Amino acid sequence: LSATVSNAEEFGDWLQAVRGDTDVIVSEERPVPLEQHVLARGKMLDLFDSSGVAATNRVNPELVQLAKGGSRSIHARSTRGRRGHDRGGWSPQPPAAKLDRAAVVAMLDGKNLLPAIFFIFSRVGCDQAVRQVLRAGVRLTQAHERDEIRAIVEERCRPLLDEDLAVLGYWEWLEGLERGVAAHHAGMLPAFKEVVEELFQRKLVKAVFATETLALGINMPARTVVLEKLEKFNGEARVPITPGEYTQLTGRAGRRGIDVEGHAVIHWQDGLDPQAVAALASRRSYPMNSSFRPTYNMAVNLIEQFGRQRARTILESSFAQFQADRSVVDLARTVRQQQESLDGYEASMHCHLGDFAEYAGIRRALTELERRASRAENQESRAAKEKVQRELNSLRKQMRAHPCHNCPDREAHARWAERWFKLRKQNDALRAQIRSRTGAVARVFDRVTELLLGFGYLEKDASGKLSASASGRMLRRIYGERDLLVAESLRRGLWNELDAPSLAAMATTLVYEPRRDEGNLSERYLPRGAFVRAFDATGTLWSELDDLERSHRLPGSEPPATGLALAMWKWAKGVPLGEVLADADMAAGDFVRWTKQTIDLLDQLSVVADNPVAANARLAMDSIRRGIVAYSSVA
């Protein structure tokens, strides 16, 4: 498992439960030791005290002093002391003053710490960083390396159309590569990213400015990793990176078999806490949690292959249910402990005159009614106030008439009763959590099954055995987040009037996920004619399914998104790349990714649908698998 996973033992326990004897072997030793630094005051300071070892988490005292000193410079104070006099000021050398990126690249080059990956949590920031470094005149390559780079780039990019090169920023990208500098992020054309990865591995590109996606699943180690900030935007707010993310990012530092040690460099920021950074760098805290849930396609396939009961058994042995059950064990232990306390409270509030729990209940009801009446004093009608007053008088009469009201130890008992009521409320909530988690995955499967039965995708025989209907057998071959919506649209013939470009646009609305700030476009930005009618019908169907899902206590889904529909329709009609990307308002890499997902859905339609949809799906695939999309499919 990944080095960032902190619950490998739990995963091993699950394998033990479902597969038999399993041993978990955890290695905490890094193949290439990692040295960690903070870039402050124009120089690299060790994060940990060099007189000790990093494992002790003893932070470099100079960094601690730097954090305490604010804008004062340690260097300035020491210089002042050597001169033997103090004129009441400091040298204007703020510790948080950052070197520009070109200077940092030059520093690392001078210290023989290249190649380096600079993690910048912004695509725009990565592209800007490359331009800044190039404007500063940085050149990290020799003449023979530049010749080799150009030869590789021309060979890899030969299939690209000349008319698309300018749109893709090819010449600026090539200039950066020839000088040993490049960006790497999901907005780039996949072919461009692959070239950057190849040149970096060949030690021809020396500095890459990348988003965190580079840290996942790409063989691209570096000698040094630089983190400009320890926070990123998560779509809603700027949040600190987690210890797991820090480990993932810095895991790129140190090339096995090449480097004696790797280096992680953090830019000093105002307010940076060296102790917090040290804790971030030394914790293994990134639990792997299952997000598994049964889908419609999965339910039909499991039932058809194994039957309903065995399918439930299979799901109950999933890692998701294992984690839910394990949490139930801890909750149950807490419930038992609380029950012991409740028994003790009940004994302490025992009254020889009567049932004190009943009496305490009357007192609580009276207190709550008085509080409610006080809050609504100026809001309720006269009749409502009179009704509340009658209820108050009734409760007061019951309280005074209760045998425990005259107990000499009444208030002592009442204090124990109050504790009992509060703890019982917490205990009831925990018991409800246990009920909700036990068998949670199988219960979701049951709800999915009932919905599919209602729609006719599953059917029962005389003995009550479930099997897939003709529609269910179609659903078995549709994979994706919107499997049921696609199947039901085909069954109702909602897309029969669409031509190939319009069908490509429709498929895009079912796979595309808009940015949070994008929203949906109005109809004036949609393909005209049959598409609008088909999309309206599909949206109505989505609303119907969404309501039905929520009535079955299943999570709903987002409505089909039109943000890419017009661009995909134009792309299917052969419109040039520049115009399509302008309509899509997205980077080439994003457009290729969404187009590939559209092709995947069209491919499924070509197999499961009847004509004319199947025939148009094949035509649509051919029409959008062109240019940069076709090249990226085979690169």
Side-chain angles (χ1 to χ4, degrees):
L1 298 177
S2 168
T4 57
V5 173
S6 61
N7 61 336
E9 294 82 3
E10 180 186 38
F11 189 73
D13 290 344
W14 171 63
L15 289 177
Q16 172 99 16
V18 298
R19 296 290 186 184
D21 288 344
T22 302
D23 292 324
V24 176
I25 301 171
V26 177
S27 174
E28 300 282 359
E29 185 175 340
R30 206 174 188 275
V32 180
L34 180 65
E35 295 292 325
Q36 309 201 57
H37 317 276
V38 176
L39 185 59
R41 295 187 284 116
K43 65 177 184 177
M44 282 171 45
L45 303 174
D46 291 338
L47 174 60
F48 295 103
D49 187 359
S50 58
S51 63
V53 292
T56 64
N57 289 350
R58 174 178 163 78
V59 177
N60 186 341
E62 188 173 359
L63 286 174
V64 175
Q65 189 64 33
L66 187 63
K68 289 179 180 178
S71 62
R72 299 189 182 198
S73 167
I74 297 174
H75 174 75
R77 288 198 295 273
S78 62
T79 302
R80 199 172 58 233
R82 285 197 301 272
R83 288 175 180 170
H85 62 86
D86 180 2
R87 297 199 292 192
W90 315 294
S91 299
Q93 188 183 5
K98 291 175 59 175
L99 293 175
D100 62 38
R101 286 158 176 156
V104 175
V105 170
M107 173 189 286
L108 295 179
D109 189 27
K111 292 179 178 291
N112 196 29
L113 293 180
L114 296 179
I117 299 172
F118 294 72
F119 281 111
I120 302 173
F121 303 117
S122 160
R123 297 180 183 183
V124 173
C126 292
D127 294 333
Q128 289 177 341
V130 172
R131 287 193 290 270
Q132 290 170 7
V133 172
L134 295 183
R135 281 199 303 268
V138 170
R139 187 181 297 279
L140 304 172
T141 54
Q142 303 296 320
H144 70 279
E145 292 176 316
R146 291 193 287 276
D147 292 340
E148 186 177 354
I149 289 169
R150 179 174 283 272
I152 291 172
V153 171
E154 289 179 349
E155 173 63 27
R156 300 292 184 272
C157 296
R158 183 173 292 118
L160 291 174
L161 300 177
D162 290 343
E163 65 193 60
D164 292 342
L165 293 181
V167 175
L168 296 170
Y170 172 84
W171 304 110
E172 296 83 352
W173 172 67
L174 176 59
E175 181 191 2
L177 293 177
E178 288 185 326
R179 290 164 66 174
V181 180
H184 188 289
H185 56 72
M188 294 173 62
L189 189 69
F192 284 12
K193 287 196 298 180
E194 291 164 9
V195 169
V196 171
E197 292 161 18
E198 179 180 351
L199 295 179
F200 193 82
Q201 290 169 18
R202 292 191 180 202
K203 306 175 191 175
L204 296 172
V205 165
K206 315 296 176 67
V208 170
F209 297 90
T211 57
E212 68 269 31
T213 54
L214 184 146
L216 305 172
I218 298 173
N219 180 27
M220 199 168 159
R223 177 167 293 172
T224 303
V225 163
V226 180
L227 287 93
E228 294 197 350
K229 293 182 179 178
L230 294 179
E231 63 177 20
K232 65 176 185 176
F233 185 68
N234 67 357
E236 297 177 357
R238 299 207 68 84
V239 296
I241 64 173
T242 66
E245 289 169 332
Y246 183 89
T247 302
Q248 191 83 52
L249 297 171
T250 57
R252 290 286 165 189
R255 297 165 297 176
R256 194 178 306 192
I258 299 176
D259 298 323
V260 177
E261 59 192 16
H263 298 266
V265 181
I266 301 165
H267 270 279
W268 180 273
Q269 300 281 335
D270 288 334
L272 187 71
D273 180 0
Q275 298 289 355
V277 176
L280 190 70
S282 56
R283 282 171 56 198
R284 183 169 71 106
S285 177
Y286 195 77
M288 178 173 59
N289 295 312
S290 174
S291 58
F292 168 79
R293 66 176 180 84
T295 65
Y296 301 109
N297 167 280
M298 181 192 302
V300 175
N301 275 296
L302 285 174
I303 289 172
E304 188 72 359
Q305 188 170 358
F306 301 110
R308 182 173 187 173
Q309 193 52 48
R310 190 177 171 201
R312 290 183 94 259
T313 303
I314 292 171
L315 293 174
E316 285 174 342
S317 65
S318 66
F319 186 49
Q321 188 58 56
F322 180 83
Q323 287 189 307
D325 290 340
R326 175 160 288 198
S327 69
V328 164
V329 172
D330 295 332
L331 291 174
R333 185 184 301 114
T334 303
V335 165
R336 287 194 300 272
Q337 293 170 347
Q338 290 184 348
Q339 188 59 52
E340 293 175 4
S341 299
L342 285 169
D343 294 341
Y345 293 166
E346 194 169 358
S348 298
M349 72 177 183
H350 176 72
C351 179
H352 66 288
L353 296 179
D355 185 349
F356 200 87
E358 181 183 63
Y359 174 73
I362 296 172
R363 283 179 52 143
R364 286 176 64 85
L366 179 60
T367 301
E368 179 58 33
L369 189 58
E370 288 174 339
R371 186 180 295 117
R372 196 178 74 194
S374 175
R375 287 198 300 265
E377 180 67 30
N378 299 320
Q379 300 174 8
E380 294 187 349
S381 65
R382 180 176 178 181
K385 291 178 181 178
E386 289 177 351
K387 180 182 177 182
V388 170
Q389 191 59 48
R390 285 195 299 272
E391 292 177 2
L392 286 171
N393 291 338
S394 176
L395 286 172
R396 287 167 182 154
K397 184 176 180 180
Q398 291 179 46
M399 183 182 69
R400 287 192 293 268
H402 198 282
C404 294
H405 188 65
N406 297 315
C407 177
D409 298 321
R410 182 185 67 196
E411 294 309 310
H413 294 331
R415 286 192 291 273
W416 286 110
E418 188 63 25
R419 295 176 186 175
W420 183 85
F421 274 113
K422 288 181 179 179
L423 188 58
R424 190 181 71 170
K425 184 177 180 181
Q426 297 175 15
N427 197 259
D428 289 345
L430 288 179
R431 290 178 186 274
Q433 284 189 51
I434 290 174
R435 288 193 297 272
S436 68
R437 295 186 186 185
T438 304
V441 175
R443 277 202 304 278
V444 173
F445 172 73
D446 288 339
R447 294 168 193 160
V448 168
T449 300
E450 292 304 316
L451 190 149
L452 291 173
L453 267 169
F455 261 86
Y457 288 92
L458 294 172
E459 53 192 16
K460 286 183 180 179
D461 61 16
S463 65
K465 181 181 178 182
L466 290 181
S467 62
S469 64
S471 299
R473 288 190 288 275
M474 175 180 65
L475 179 58
R476 287 186 67 185
R477 295 183 291 172
I478 299 174
Y479 298 87
E481 291 293 320
R482 300 188 184 275
D483 47 8
L484 184 59
L485 178 59
V486 171
E488 193 64 14
S489 296
L490 292 177
R491 192 164 73 160
R492 298 188 186 190
L494 301 185
W495 304 336
N496 288 354
E497 296 182 9
L498 297 178
D499 59 11
S502 296
L503 186 58
M506 179 61 69
T508 298
T509 68
L510 301 178
V511 299
Y512 178 60
E513 297 175 7
R515 299 187 300 268
R516 285 180 174 85
D517 59 346
E518 181 178 318
N520 247 355
L521 301 178
S522 65
E523 286 193 0
R524 66 191 180 91
Y525 294 109
L526 299 181
R528 294 297 182 186
F531 176 87
V532 174
R533 294 191 296 274
F535 181 76
D536 287 344
T538 306
T540 301
L541 172 59
W542 167 83
S543 181
E544 178 186 334
L545 292 176
D546 191 61
D547 290 343
L548 196 61
E549 286 173 328
R550 295 182 190 279
S551 70
H552 281 76
R553 291 180 294 163
L554 292 169
S557 60
E558 294 296 318
T562 59
L564 193 54
L566 182 61
M568 192 61 65
W569 181 78
K570 287 186 174 182
W571 182 247
K573 281 184 165 292
V575 172
L577 177 65
E579 183 179 339
V580 170
L581 291 182
D583 273 327
D585 189 24
M586 65 175 55
D590 292 324
F591 180 73
V592 168
R593 184 172 72 255
W594 291 121
T595 305
K596 286 183 175 182
Q597 292 191 32
T598 301
I599 290 171
D600 180 63
L601 177 53
L602 290 169
D603 190 27
Q604 295 179 49
L605 295 180
S606 72
V607 174
V608 303
D610 297 325
N611 284 326
V613 174
N616 282 325
R618 288 189 286 272
L619 291 173
M621 277 194 295
D622 292 339
S623 65
I624 64 175
R625 192 189 280 123
R626 66 180 181 88
I628 61 172
V629 178
Y631 173 59
S632 298
S633 299
V634 298

